[in-house]
Amino acid sequence: PAPAPAPAPTPPPPPPAPAVDVLSKVRSHAAAAGCSGVGVVWGDSGARYAQADWYNYTIIVGGSVNTNRLQWIGAHECAHFQQVWEYGSPEAVINSLGWDGLECDADRRAARILGYSAGAYC
């Protein structure tokens, strides 16, 4: 008789899920920056960034963000919502500031709120 086939290899376990506390901290920092009630959810598990979902008033946090930067993330992403409130729509923000400009503007707003001198985009 033929030998029994080898057992299928066991897949590696999934990476541990980031602590939910990260989301509550980002939410708290965003609220302190002027965005109370903002939703905060997990995005791509490998992403090292966060982004503002202008249409759903939600901050999407990548699963690989630097947890030492949660205060900055909350303030910077809140600044994007403030841009929409001031300009009237996401499209108006993009048309007025451009992509680089809107990121630089969000950095400046976050830096002002947190007492920093500058951000990554400008």
Side-chain angles (χ1 to χ4, degrees):
T10 304
V20 174
D21 190 45
V22 168
L23 298 183
S24 64
K25 286 181 179 179
V26 170
R27 184 178 299 107
S28 174
H29 294 310
C35 292
S36 61
V38 69
V40 182
V41 298
W42 288 114
D44 180 0
S45 63
R48 297 181 53 130
Y49 56 85
Q51 65 189 58
D53 177 347
W54 285 330
Y55 299 99
N56 295 299
Y57 194 51
T58 300
I59 297 172
I60 302 168
V61 179
S64 296
V65 297
N66 180 340
T67 56
N68 293 325
R69 296 182 49 84
L70 299 180
Q71 186 176 25
W72 179 263
I73 289 169
H76 176 94
E77 300 308 328
C78 175
H80 287 307
F81 296 118
Q82 293 168 347
Q83 291 167 336
V84 172
W85 299 336
E86 290 173 21
Y87 286 86
S89 72
E91 295 76 18
V93 174
I94 296 165
N95 291 336
S96 297
L97 301 175
W99 287 106
D100 290 340
L102 69 88
E103 291 298 346
C104 182
D105 179 68
D107 269 1
R108 287 185 176 146
R109 291 170 188 247
R112 187 170 48 250
I113 289 167
L114 300 175
Y116 298 165
S117 60
Y121 288 98
C122 41

PDB file of all heavy atoms in Angstrom, residues 40-78:
ATOM      1  N   VAL A  40     -14.687  56.411  14.829  1.00  0.00           N
ATOM      2  CA  VAL A  40     -13.314  55.949  14.628  1.00  0.00           C
ATOM      3  C   VAL A  40     -13.377  54.444  14.430  1.00  0.00           C
ATOM      4  O   VAL A  40     -13.918  53.729  15.279  1.00  0.00           O
ATOM      5  CB  VAL A  40     -12.394  56.304  15.819  1.00  0.00           C
ATOM      6  CG1 VAL A  40     -10.968  55.854  15.551  1.00  0.00           C
ATOM      7  CG2 VAL A  40     -12.427  57.804  16.107  1.00  0.00           C
ATOM      8  N   VAL A  41     -12.845  53.972  13.303  1.00  0.00           N
ATOM      9  CA  VAL A  41     -12.901  52.543  12.975  1.00  0.00           C
ATOM     10  C   VAL A  41     -11.538  52.075  12.472  1.00  0.00           C
ATOM     11  O   VAL A  41     -10.701  52.881  12.081  1.00  0.00           O
ATOM     12  CB  VAL A  41     -13.976  52.246  11.903  1.00  0.00           C
ATOM     13  CG1 VAL A  41     -15.365  52.621  12.393  1.00  0.00           C
ATOM     14  CG2 VAL A  41     -13.658  52.950  10.598  1.00  0.00           C
ATOM     15  N   TRP A  42     -11.369  50.764  12.482  1.00  0.00           N
ATOM     16  CA  TRP A  42     -10.155  50.173  11.930  1.00  0.00           C
ATOM     17  C   TRP A  42     -10.238  50.115  10.412  1.00  0.00           C
ATOM     18  O   TRP A  42     -11.286  49.819   9.854  1.00  0.00           O
ATOM     19  CB  TRP A  42      -9.940  48.756  12.459  1.00  0.00           C
ATOM     20  CG  TRP A  42      -9.536  48.716  13.893  1.00  0.00           C
ATOM     21  CD1 TRP A  42     -10.264  48.203  14.924  1.00  0.00           C
ATOM     22  CD2 TRP A  42      -8.333  49.219  14.464  1.00  0.00           C
ATOM     23  NE1 TRP A  42      -9.575  48.374  16.100  1.00  0.00           N
ATOM     24  CE2 TRP A  42      -8.391  48.987  15.844  1.00  0.00           C
ATOM     25  CE3 TRP A  42      -7.208  49.846  13.935  1.00  0.00           C
ATOM     26  CZ2 TRP A  42      -7.371  49.358  16.716  1.00  0.00           C
ATOM     27  CZ3 TRP A  42      -6.190  50.225  14.798  1.00  0.00           C
ATOM     28  CH2 TRP A  42      -6.268  49.979  16.163  1.00  0.00           C
ATOM     29  N   GLY A  43      -9.129  50.371   9.773  1.00  0.00           N
ATOM     30  CA  GLY A  43      -9.014  50.227   8.327  1.00  0.00           C
ATOM     31  C   GLY A  43      -8.116  49.053   8.009  1.00  0.00           C
ATOM     32  O   GLY A  43      -8.086  48.053   8.731  1.00  0.00           O
ATOM     33  N   ASP A  44      -7.327  49.187   6.961  1.00  0.00           N
ATOM     34  CA  ASP A  44      -6.396  48.159   6.507  1.00  0.00           C
ATOM     35  C   ASP A  44      -5.429  47.807   7.634  1.00  0.00           C
ATOM     36  O   ASP A  44      -4.769  48.680   8.193  1.00  0.00           O
ATOM     37  CB  ASP A  44      -5.639  48.686   5.287  1.00  0.00           C
ATOM     38  CG  ASP A  44      -4.632  47.699   4.733  1.00  0.00           C
ATOM     39  OD1 ASP A  44      -4.502  46.585   5.283  1.00  0.00           O
ATOM     40  OD2 ASP A  44      -3.958  48.049   3.750  1.00  0.00           O
ATOM     41  N   SER A  45      -5.320  46.521   7.936  1.00  0.00           N
ATOM     42  CA  SER A  45      -4.494  46.097   9.065  1.00  0.00           C
ATOM     43  C   SER A  45      -3.019  46.425   8.878  1.00  0.00           C
ATOM     44  O   SER A  45      -2.296  46.592   9.846  1.00  0.00           O
ATOM     45  CB  SER A  45      -4.666  44.595   9.308  1.00  0.00           C
ATOM     46  OG  SER A  45      -4.206  43.876   8.181  1.00  0.00           O
ATOM     47  N   GLY A  46      -2.557  46.533   7.642  1.00  0.00           N
ATOM     48  CA  GLY A  46      -1.145  46.828   7.412  1.00  0.00           C
ATOM     49  C   GLY A  46      -0.844  48.300   7.241  1.00  0.00           C
ATOM     50  O   GLY A  46       0.322  48.694   7.140  1.00  0.00           O
ATOM     51  N   ALA A  47      -1.863  49.132   7.206  1.00  0.00           N
ATOM     52  CA  ALA A  47      -1.647  50.557   6.936  1.00  0.00           C
ATOM     53  C   ALA A  47      -1.012  51.251   8.133  1.00  0.00           C
ATOM     54  O   ALA A  47      -1.371  50.997   9.274  1.00  0.00           O
ATOM     55  CB  ALA A  47      -2.968  51.233   6.579  1.00  0.00           C
ATOM     56  N   ARG A  48      -0.070  52.144   7.831  1.00  0.00           N
ATOM     57  CA  ARG A  48       0.626  52.880   8.884  1.00  0.00           C
ATOM     58  C   ARG A  48       0.114  54.310   8.989  1.00  0.00           C
ATOM     59  O   ARG A  48       0.802  55.173   9.496  1.00  0.00           O
ATOM     60  CB  ARG A  48       2.116  52.880   8.577  1.00  0.00           C
ATOM     61  CG  ARG A  48       2.721  51.497   8.588  1.00  0.00           C
ATOM     62  CD  ARG A  48       4.180  51.573   8.304  1.00  0.00           C
ATOM     63  NE  ARG A  48       4.777  52.518   9.241  1.00  0.00           N
ATOM     64  CZ  ARG A  48       5.843  52.287   9.970  1.00  0.00           C
ATOM     65  NH1 ARG A  48       6.455  51.155   9.865  1.00  0.00           N
ATOM     66  NH2 ARG A  48       6.313  53.204  10.790  1.00  0.00           N
ATOM     67  N   TYR A  49      -1.053  54.564   8.494  1.00  0.00           N
ATOM     68  CA  TYR A  49      -1.593  55.918   8.462  1.00  0.00           C
ATOM     69  C   TYR A  49      -3.059  55.891   8.892  1.00  0.00           C
ATOM     70  O   TYR A  49      -3.648  54.834   9.074  1.00  0.00           O
ATOM     71  CB  TYR A  49      -1.486  56.510   7.058  1.00  0.00           C
ATOM     72  CG  TYR A  49      -2.172  55.647   6.015  1.00  0.00           C
ATOM     73  CD1 TYR A  49      -3.537  55.780   5.771  1.00  0.00           C
ATOM     74  CD2 TYR A  49      -1.475  54.684   5.315  1.00  0.00           C
ATOM     75  CE1 TYR A  49      -4.187  54.969   4.858  1.00  0.00           C
ATOM     76  CE2 TYR A  49      -2.118  53.865   4.396  1.00  0.00           C
ATOM     77  CZ  TYR A  49      -3.465  54.013   4.173  1.00  0.00           C
ATOM     78  OH  TYR A  49      -4.109  53.209   3.269  1.00  0.00           O
ATOM     79  N   ALA A  50      -3.617  57.069   9.017  1.00  0.00           N
ATOM     80  CA  ALA A  50      -5.055  57.203   9.275  1.00  0.00           C
ATOM     81  C   ALA A  50      -5.602  58.134   8.198  1.00  0.00           C
ATOM     82  O   ALA A  50      -4.838  58.826   7.513  1.00  0.00           O
ATOM     83  CB  ALA A  50      -5.303  57.779  10.659  1.00  0.00           C
ATOM     84  N   GLN A  51      -6.900  58.150   8.040  1.00  0.00           N
ATOM     85  CA  GLN A  51      -7.504  59.057   7.069  1.00  0.00           C
ATOM     86  C   GLN A  51      -8.886  59.471   7.530  1.00  0.00           C
ATOM     87  O   GLN A  51      -9.532  58.769   8.300  1.00  0.00           O
ATOM     88  CB  GLN A  51      -7.575  58.418   5.686  1.00  0.00           C
ATOM     89  CG  GLN A  51      -8.476  57.207   5.607  1.00  0.00           C
ATOM     90  CD  GLN A  51      -8.340  56.482   4.295  1.00  0.00           C
ATOM     91  OE1 GLN A  51      -7.264  56.046   3.932  1.00  0.00           O
ATOM     92  NE2 GLN A  51      -9.442  56.353   3.584  1.00  0.00           N
ATOM     93  N   ALA A  52      -9.292  60.633   7.084  1.00  0.00           N
ATOM     94  CA  ALA A  52     -10.618  61.140   7.409  1.00  0.00           C
ATOM     95  C   ALA A  52     -11.583  60.739   6.297  1.00  0.00           C
ATOM     96  O   ALA A  52     -11.318  60.987   5.128  1.00  0.00           O
ATOM     97  CB  ALA A  52     -10.580  62.666   7.540  1.00  0.00           C
ATOM     98  N   ASP A  53     -12.659  60.099   6.672  1.00  0.00           N
ATOM     99  CA  ASP A  53     -13.743  59.810   5.738  1.00  0.00           C
ATOM    100  C   ASP A  53     -14.714  60.983   5.852  1.00  0.00           C
ATOM    101  O   ASP A  53     -15.564  61.031   6.732  1.00  0.00           O
ATOM    102  CB  ASP A  53     -14.411  58.494   6.117  1.00  0.00           C
ATOM    103  CG  ASP A  53     -15.595  58.151   5.230  1.00  0.00           C
ATOM    104  OD1 ASP A  53     -16.072  59.034   4.466  1.00  0.00           O
ATOM    105  OD2 ASP A  53     -16.070  57.006   5.309  1.00  0.00           O
ATOM    106  N   TRP A  54     -14.542  61.960   4.976  1.00  0.00           N
ATOM    107  CA  TRP A  54     -15.319  63.196   5.017  1.00  0.00           C
ATOM    108  C   TRP A  54     -16.812  62.957   4.932  1.00  0.00           C
ATOM    109  O   TRP A  54     -17.600  63.700   5.487  1.00  0.00           O
ATOM    110  CB  TRP A  54     -14.907  64.107   3.863  1.00  0.00           C
ATOM    111  CG  TRP A  54     -13.599  64.793   4.024  1.00  0.00           C
ATOM    112  CD1 TRP A  54     -13.011  65.173   5.183  1.00  0.00           C
ATOM    113  CD2 TRP A  54     -12.727  65.226   2.985  1.00  0.00           C
ATOM    114  NE1 TRP A  54     -11.824  65.816   4.923  1.00  0.00           N
ATOM    115  CE2 TRP A  54     -11.632  65.860   3.573  1.00  0.00           C
ATOM    116  CE3 TRP A  54     -12.773  65.131   1.598  1.00  0.00           C
ATOM    117  CZ2 TRP A  54     -10.583  66.397   2.837  1.00  0.00           C
ATOM    118  CZ3 TRP A  54     -11.737  65.675   0.872  1.00  0.00           C
ATOM    119  CH2 TRP A  54     -10.660  66.300   1.486  1.00  0.00           C
ATOM    120  N   TYR A  55     -17.204  61.939   4.185  1.00  0.00           N
ATOM    121  CA  TYR A  55     -18.624  61.716   3.911  1.00  0.00           C
ATOM    122  C   TYR A  55     -19.359  61.036   5.066  1.00  0.00           C
ATOM    123  O   TYR A  55     -20.571  61.088   5.141  1.00  0.00           O
ATOM    124  CB  TYR A  55     -18.782  60.906   2.627  1.00  0.00           C
ATOM    125  CG  TYR A  55     -18.191  61.624   1.439  1.00  0.00           C
ATOM    126  CD1 TYR A  55     -16.923  61.299   0.970  1.00  0.00           C
ATOM    127  CD2 TYR A  55     -18.882  62.661   0.824  1.00  0.00           C
ATOM    128  CE1 TYR A  55     -16.367  61.980  -0.105  1.00  0.00           C
ATOM    129  CE2 TYR A  55     -18.331  63.349  -0.246  1.00  0.00           C
ATOM    130  CZ  TYR A  55     -17.072  63.004  -0.708  1.00  0.00           C
ATOM    131  OH  TYR A  55     -16.514  63.688  -1.759  1.00  0.00           O
ATOM    132  N   ASN A  56     -18.604  60.364   5.945  1.00  0.00           N
ATOM    133  CA  ASN A  56     -19.227  59.626   7.049  1.00  0.00           C
ATOM    134  C   ASN A  56     -18.778  60.101   8.424  1.00  0.00           C
ATOM    135  O   ASN A  56     -19.073  59.440   9.423  1.00  0.00           O
ATOM    136  CB  ASN A  56     -18.945  58.127   6.895  1.00  0.00           C
ATOM    137  CG  ASN A  56     -19.609  57.577   5.656  1.00  0.00           C
ATOM    138  OD1 ASN A  56     -20.827  57.626   5.528  1.00  0.00           O
ATOM    139  ND2 ASN A  56     -18.816  57.081   4.722  1.00  0.00           N
ATOM    140  N   TYR A  57     -18.068  61.236   8.481  1.00  0.00           N
ATOM    141  CA  TYR A  57     -17.576  61.804   9.746  1.00  0.00           C
ATOM    142  C   TYR A  57     -16.904  60.719  10.583  1.00  0.00           C
ATOM    143  O   TYR A  57     -17.237  60.468  11.740  1.00  0.00           O
ATOM    144  CB  TYR A  57     -18.714  62.483  10.513  1.00  0.00           C
ATOM    145  CG  TYR A  57     -18.245  63.376  11.649  1.00  0.00           C
ATOM    146  CD1 TYR A  57     -17.272  64.350  11.450  1.00  0.00           C
ATOM    147  CD2 TYR A  57     -18.780  63.248  12.922  1.00  0.00           C
ATOM    148  CE1 TYR A  57     -16.849  65.167  12.478  1.00  0.00           C
ATOM    149  CE2 TYR A  57     -18.368  64.062  13.961  1.00  0.00           C
ATOM    150  CZ  TYR A  57     -17.395  65.017  13.741  1.00  0.00           C
ATOM    151  OH  TYR A  57     -16.966  65.827  14.772  1.00  0.00           O
ATOM    152  N   THR A  58     -15.934  60.058   9.949  1.00  0.00           N
ATOM    153  CA  THR A  58     -15.263  58.918  10.571  1.00  0.00           C
ATOM    154  C   THR A  58     -13.773  58.980  10.290  1.00  0.00           C
ATOM    155  O   THR A  58     -13.360  59.291   9.171  1.00  0.00           O
ATOM    156  CB  THR A  58     -15.841  57.596  10.012  1.00  0.00           C
ATOM    157  OG1 THR A  58     -17.243  57.558  10.298  1.00  0.00           O
ATOM    158  CG2 THR A  58     -15.172  56.383  10.607  1.00  0.00           C
ATOM    159  N   ILE A  59     -12.981  58.670  11.292  1.00  0.00           N
ATOM    160  CA  ILE A  59     -11.533  58.524  11.123  1.00  0.00           C
ATOM    161  C   ILE A  59     -11.253  57.039  10.968  1.00  0.00           C
ATOM    162  O   ILE A  59     -11.686  56.220  11.789  1.00  0.00           O
ATOM    163  CB  ILE A  59     -10.765  59.090  12.334  1.00  0.00           C
ATOM    164  CG1 ILE A  59     -11.017  60.601  12.461  1.00  0.00           C
ATOM    165  CG2 ILE A  59      -9.267  58.790  12.209  1.00  0.00           C
ATOM    166  CD1 ILE A  59     -10.462  61.213  13.738  1.00  0.00           C
ATOM    167  N   ILE A  60     -10.544  56.692   9.912  1.00  0.00           N
ATOM    168  CA  ILE A  60     -10.185  55.305   9.635  1.00  0.00           C
ATOM    169  C   ILE A  60      -8.717  55.136  10.029  1.00  0.00           C
ATOM    170  O   ILE A  60      -7.838  55.805   9.475  1.00  0.00           O
ATOM    171  CB  ILE A  60     -10.396  54.964   8.155  1.00  0.00           C
ATOM    172  CG1 ILE A  60     -11.854  55.229   7.771  1.00  0.00           C
ATOM    173  CG2 ILE A  60      -9.994  53.519   7.875  1.00  0.00           C
ATOM    174  CD1 ILE A  60     -12.112  55.212   6.275  1.00  0.00           C
ATOM    175  N   VAL A  61      -8.466  54.263  10.990  1.00  0.00           N
ATOM    176  CA  VAL A  61      -7.129  54.080  11.545  1.00  0.00           C
ATOM    177  C   VAL A  61      -6.530  52.792  11.000  1.00  0.00           C
ATOM    178  O   VAL A  61      -7.117  51.721  11.146  1.00  0.00           O
ATOM    179  CB  VAL A  61      -7.186  54.021  13.095  1.00  0.00           C
ATOM    180  CG1 VAL A  61      -5.796  53.809  13.679  1.00  0.00           C
ATOM    181  CG2 VAL A  61      -7.826  55.278  13.654  1.00  0.00           C
ATOM    182  N   GLY A  62      -5.369  52.892  10.369  1.00  0.00           N
ATOM    183  CA  GLY A  62      -4.663  51.705   9.891  1.00  0.00           C
ATOM    184  C   GLY A  62      -4.171  50.879  11.071  1.00  0.00           C
ATOM    185  O   GLY A  62      -3.804  51.413  12.118  1.00  0.00           O
ATOM    186  N   GLY A  63      -4.155  49.581  10.894  1.00  0.00           N
ATOM    187  CA  GLY A  63      -3.780  48.677  11.979  1.00  0.00           C
ATOM    188  C   GLY A  63      -2.329  48.733  12.392  1.00  0.00           C
ATOM    189  O   GLY A  63      -1.959  48.179  13.422  1.00  0.00           O
ATOM    190  N   SER A  64      -1.484  49.411  11.606  1.00  0.00           N
ATOM    191  CA  SER A  64      -0.062  49.491  11.940  1.00  0.00           C
ATOM    192  C   SER A  64       0.375  50.914  12.265  1.00  0.00           C
ATOM    193  O   SER A  64       1.542  51.255  12.109  1.00  0.00           O
ATOM    194  CB  SER A  64       0.775  48.947  10.773  1.00  0.00           C
ATOM    195  OG  SER A  64       0.495  47.584  10.576  1.00  0.00           O
ATOM    196  N   VAL A  65      -0.554  51.758  12.691  1.00  0.00           N
ATOM    197  CA  VAL A  65      -0.177  53.133  13.021  1.00  0.00           C
ATOM    198  C   VAL A  65       0.766  53.142  14.221  1.00  0.00           C
ATOM    199  O   VAL A  65       0.746  52.241  15.055  1.00  0.00           O
ATOM    200  CB  VAL A  65      -1.396  54.044  13.320  1.00  0.00           C
ATOM    201  CG1 VAL A  65      -2.283  54.195  12.118  1.00  0.00           C
ATOM    202  CG2 VAL A  65      -2.154  53.570  14.530  1.00  0.00           C
ATOM    203  N   ASN A  66       1.563  54.178  14.280  1.00  0.00           N
ATOM    204  CA  ASN A  66       2.455  54.382  15.412  1.00  0.00           C
ATOM    205  C   ASN A  66       1.606  54.854  16.590  1.00  0.00           C
ATOM    206  O   ASN A  66       1.058  55.952  16.567  1.00  0.00           O
ATOM    207  CB  ASN A  66       3.514  55.425  15.038  1.00  0.00           C
ATOM    208  CG  ASN A  66       4.489  55.692  16.151  1.00  0.00           C
ATOM    209  OD1 ASN A  66       4.226  55.411  17.320  1.00  0.00           O
ATOM    210  ND2 ASN A  66       5.624  56.256  15.800  1.00  0.00           N
ATOM    211  N   THR A  67       1.480  54.034  17.608  1.00  0.00           N
ATOM    212  CA  THR A  67       0.608  54.372  18.725  1.00  0.00           C
ATOM    213  C   THR A  67       1.148  55.522  19.573  1.00  0.00           C
ATOM    214  O   THR A  67       0.436  56.036  20.429  1.00  0.00           O
ATOM    215  CB  THR A  67       0.332  53.145  19.615  1.00  0.00           C
ATOM    216  OG1 THR A  67       1.582  52.594  20.053  1.00  0.00           O
ATOM    217  CG2 THR A  67      -0.455  52.095  18.844  1.00  0.00           C
ATOM    218  N   ASN A  68       2.368  55.945  19.321  1.00  0.00           N
ATOM    219  CA  ASN A  68       2.898  57.129  19.993  1.00  0.00           C
ATOM    220  C   ASN A  68       2.370  58.409  19.356  1.00  0.00           C
ATOM    221  O   ASN A  68       2.639  59.498  19.846  1.00  0.00           O
ATOM    222  CB  ASN A  68       4.427  57.139  19.965  1.00  0.00           C
ATOM    223  CG  ASN A  68       5.019  56.024  20.790  1.00  0.00           C
ATOM    224  OD1 ASN A  68       4.469  55.664  21.829  1.00  0.00           O
ATOM    225  ND2 ASN A  68       6.107  55.458  20.324  1.00  0.00           N
ATOM    226  N   ARG A  69       1.664  58.286  18.236  1.00  0.00           N
ATOM    227  CA  ARG A  69       1.190  59.458  17.499  1.00  0.00           C
ATOM    228  C   ARG A  69      -0.336  59.591  17.523  1.00  0.00           C
ATOM    229  O   ARG A  69      -0.912  60.276  16.697  1.00  0.00           O
ATOM    230  CB  ARG A  69       1.696  59.403  16.062  1.00  0.00           C
ATOM    231  CG  ARG A  69       3.214  59.477  15.979  1.00  0.00           C
ATOM    232  CD  ARG A  69       3.743  59.475  14.565  1.00  0.00           C
ATOM    233  NE  ARG A  69       3.120  60.410  13.672  1.00  0.00           N
ATOM    234  CZ  ARG A  69       3.437  61.704  13.541  1.00  0.00           C
ATOM    235  NH1 ARG A  69       4.387  62.208  14.280  1.00  0.00           N
ATOM    236  NH2 ARG A  69       2.821  62.472  12.668  1.00  0.00           N
ATOM    237  N   LEU A  70      -0.998  58.982  18.463  1.00  0.00           N
ATOM    238  CA  LEU A  70      -2.466  59.001  18.481  1.00  0.00           C
ATOM    239  C   LEU A  70      -3.022  60.401  18.692  1.00  0.00           C
ATOM    240  O   LEU A  70      -4.041  60.761  18.098  1.00  0.00           O
ATOM    241  CB  LEU A  70      -3.002  58.039  19.540  1.00  0.00           C
ATOM    242  CG  LEU A  70      -2.620  56.566  19.344  1.00  0.00           C
ATOM    243  CD1 LEU A  70      -3.211  55.724  20.449  1.00  0.00           C
ATOM    244  CD2 LEU A  70      -3.027  56.063  17.971  1.00  0.00           C
ATOM    245  N   GLN A  71      -2.368  61.207  19.508  1.00  0.00           N
ATOM    246  CA  GLN A  71      -2.836  62.580  19.717  1.00  0.00           C
ATOM    247  C   GLN A  71      -2.740  63.353  18.404  1.00  0.00           C
ATOM    248  O   GLN A  71      -3.663  64.069  18.020  1.00  0.00           O
ATOM    249  CB  GLN A  71      -2.009  63.256  20.809  1.00  0.00           C
ATOM    250  CG  GLN A  71      -2.530  64.624  21.178  1.00  0.00           C
ATOM    251  CD  GLN A  71      -1.750  65.245  22.334  1.00  0.00           C
ATOM    252  OE1 GLN A  71      -0.592  64.923  22.564  1.00  0.00           O
ATOM    253  NE2 GLN A  71      -2.390  66.145  23.057  1.00  0.00           N
ATOM    254  N   TRP A  72      -1.624  63.190  17.694  1.00  0.00           N
ATOM    255  CA  TRP A  72      -1.442  63.858  16.402  1.00  0.00           C
ATOM    256  C   TRP A  72      -2.492  63.366  15.410  1.00  0.00           C
ATOM    257  O   TRP A  72      -3.095  64.155  14.687  1.00  0.00           O
ATOM    258  CB  TRP A  72      -0.033  63.611  15.857  1.00  0.00           C
ATOM    259  CG  TRP A  72       0.155  64.277  14.537  1.00  0.00           C
ATOM    260  CD1 TRP A  72       0.027  63.714  13.299  1.00  0.00           C
ATOM    261  CD2 TRP A  72       0.448  65.656  14.321  1.00  0.00           C
ATOM    262  NE1 TRP A  72       0.226  64.654  12.332  1.00  0.00           N
ATOM    263  CE2 TRP A  72       0.491  65.856  12.935  1.00  0.00           C
ATOM    264  CE3 TRP A  72       0.674  66.725  15.174  1.00  0.00           C
ATOM    265  CZ2 TRP A  72       0.753  67.094  12.370  1.00  0.00           C
ATOM    266  CZ3 TRP A  72       0.944  67.968  14.608  1.00  0.00           C
ATOM    267  CH2 TRP A  72       0.979  68.136  13.221  1.00  0.00           C
ATOM    268  N   ILE A  73      -2.713  62.061  15.355  1.00  0.00           N
ATOM    269  CA  ILE A  73      -3.698  61.504  14.419  1.00  0.00           C
ATOM    270  C   ILE A  73      -5.073  62.115  14.668  1.00  0.00           C
ATOM    271  O   ILE A  73      -5.751  62.551  13.743  1.00  0.00           O
ATOM    272  CB  ILE A  73      -3.740  59.965  14.526  1.00  0.00           C
ATOM    273  CG1 ILE A  73      -2.460  59.361  13.930  1.00  0.00           C
ATOM    274  CG2 ILE A  73      -4.980  59.398  13.831  1.00  0.00           C
ATOM    275  CD1 ILE A  73      -2.282  57.881  14.229  1.00  0.00           C
ATOM    276  N   GLY A  74      -5.497  62.145  15.925  1.00  0.00           N
ATOM    277  CA  GLY A  74      -6.803  62.717  16.241  1.00  0.00           C
ATOM    278  C   GLY A  74      -6.916  64.169  15.821  1.00  0.00           C
ATOM    279  O   GLY A  74      -7.902  64.582  15.200  1.00  0.00           O
ATOM    280  N   ALA A  75      -5.889  64.963  16.115  1.00  0.00           N
ATOM    281  CA  ALA A  75      -5.925  66.397  15.782  1.00  0.00           C
ATOM    282  C   ALA A  75      -5.826  66.620  14.276  1.00  0.00           C
ATOM    283  O   ALA A  75      -6.546  67.451  13.711  1.00  0.00           O
ATOM    284  CB  ALA A  75      -4.794  67.129  16.503  1.00  0.00           C
ATOM    285  N   HIS A  76      -4.945  65.900  13.598  1.00  0.00           N
ATOM    286  CA  HIS A  76      -4.754  66.085  12.151  1.00  0.00           C
ATOM    287  C   HIS A  76      -6.008  65.670  11.384  1.00  0.00           C
ATOM    288  O   HIS A  76      -6.459  66.400  10.491  1.00  0.00           O
ATOM    289  CB  HIS A  76      -3.537  65.277  11.681  1.00  0.00           C
ATOM    290  CG  HIS A  76      -3.319  65.326  10.211  1.00  0.00           C
ATOM    291  ND1 HIS A  76      -2.472  66.230   9.614  1.00  0.00           N
ATOM    292  CD2 HIS A  76      -3.835  64.592   9.191  1.00  0.00           C
ATOM    293  CE1 HIS A  76      -2.482  66.045   8.297  1.00  0.00           C
ATOM    294  NE2 HIS A  76      -3.312  65.053   8.022  1.00  0.00           N
ATOM    295  N   GLU A  77      -6.567  64.524  11.711  1.00  0.00           N
ATOM    296  CA  GLU A  77      -7.756  64.068  10.986  1.00  0.00           C
ATOM    297  C   GLU A  77      -8.959  64.947  11.311  1.00  0.00           C
ATOM    298  O   GLU A  77      -9.784  65.223  10.431  1.00  0.00           O
ATOM    299  CB  GLU A  77      -8.034  62.594  11.267  1.00  0.00           C
ATOM    300  CG  GLU A  77      -6.903  61.650  10.855  1.00  0.00           C
ATOM    301  CD  GLU A  77      -6.419  61.819   9.423  1.00  0.00           C
ATOM    302  OE1 GLU A  77      -7.220  62.177   8.535  1.00  0.00           O
ATOM    303  OE2 GLU A  77      -5.218  61.597   9.179  1.00  0.00           O
ATOM    304  N   CYS A  78      -9.061  65.429  12.535  1.00  0.00           N
ATOM    305  CA  CYS A  78     -10.120  66.384  12.878  1.00  0.00           C
ATOM    306  C   CYS A  78      -9.984  67.632  12.011  1.00  0.00           C
ATOM    307  O   CYS A  78     -10.990  68.192  11.559  1.00  0.00           O
ATOM    308  CB  CYS A  78     -10.039  66.736  14.358  1.00  0.00           C
ATOM    309  SG  CYS A  78     -11.213  68.014  14.854  1.00  0.00           S
TER     310      CYS A  78
END
